[in-house]
């Protein structure tokens, strides 16, 4: 039964690969990808109301471990749509940026890199050009 399932799955994968490689299927696949991208953009436009963006940013800021990438993406989305964030969010976002980019934070990170790679982030190792010792 297992061999039959593996044979069936490999046949399925092979057929899919052949469809992807077929030059006659490329226009259809390209149109499908474009249609999917357009539908995703439309869904994002409908869901990205000023209230929903502000609520999501506030929820991300309330988390203990901040997802800075998601916060920046939502800020970029709001900016591209011309949505002004509420006045209470901007100081919180600026505080988070200062925590990440302050010279004391970077200095501490660079100092950690000189003592061992186990306490060093890749950003600090590359930017500080600190000698990173092996923790082995």
């Amino acid at each position: 039964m297992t061999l039959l399932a593996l044979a069936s799955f490999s046949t399925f994968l092979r057929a899919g690969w052949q469809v992807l490689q077929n030059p006659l299927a490329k226009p259809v696949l390209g149109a499908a990808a474009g249609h999917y991208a357009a539908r995703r953009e439309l869904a994002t436009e409908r869901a990205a109301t000023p209230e929903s963006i502000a609520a999501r940013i506030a929820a991300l800021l309330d988390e203990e471990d901040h997802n800075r990438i998601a916060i920046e993406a939502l800020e970029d989305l709001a900016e591209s749509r011309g949505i002004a964030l509420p006045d209470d969010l901007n100081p919180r976002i600026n505080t988070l940026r200062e925590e990440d980019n302050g010279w004391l934070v970077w200095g501490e990170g660079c100092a950690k890199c000189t003592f061992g790679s186990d306490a060093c982030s890749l950003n600090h190792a590359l930017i500080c050009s600190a000698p990173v010792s092996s923790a082995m």
Side-chain angles (χ1 to χ4, degrees):
M1 192 63 126
T2 304
L3 289 175
L4 185 60
L6 286 173
S8 175
F9 185 66
S10 66
T11 303
F12 170 75
L13 289 177
R14 184 170 177 244
W17 180 255
Q18 287 175 339
V19 167
L20 290 174
Q21 298 306 312
N22 187 342
L24 298 175
K26 291 197 188 272
V28 174
L29 294 174
H35 178 72
Y36 172 74
R39 296 285 298 187
R40 187 183 63 221
E41 181 65 27
L42 181 62
T44 302
E45 256 183 59
R46 288 181 182 158
T49 63
E51 297 81 20
S52 66
I53 292 174
R56 185 65 186 135
I57 290 175
L60 289 168
L61 289 170
D62 289 338
E63 292 177 359
E64 189 163 327
D65 188 24
H66 303 293
N67 186 346
R68 288 154 174 86
I69 295 171
I71 293 170
E72 287 180 16
L74 287 169
E75 279 184 296
D76 291 343
L77 178 63
E79 183 179 328
S80 70
R81 303 271 163 88
I83 298 170
L85 295 176
D87 293 335
D88 64 327
L89 288 181
N90 289 325
R92 293 176 65 193
I93 293 171
N94 291 336
T95 302
L96 182 64
R97 281 196 185 115
E98 288 172 7
E99 289 174 3
D100 282 348
N101 300 321
W103 65 273
L104 286 174
V105 173
W106 278 102
E108 179 184 347
C110 288
K112 287 180 183 177
C113 287
T114 60
F115 292 110
S117 60
D118 57 335
C120 184
S121 73
L122 183 59
N123 282 342
H124 286 104
L126 294 174
I127 292 174
C128 302
S129 299
V132 179
S133 63
S134 176
M136 297 183 157

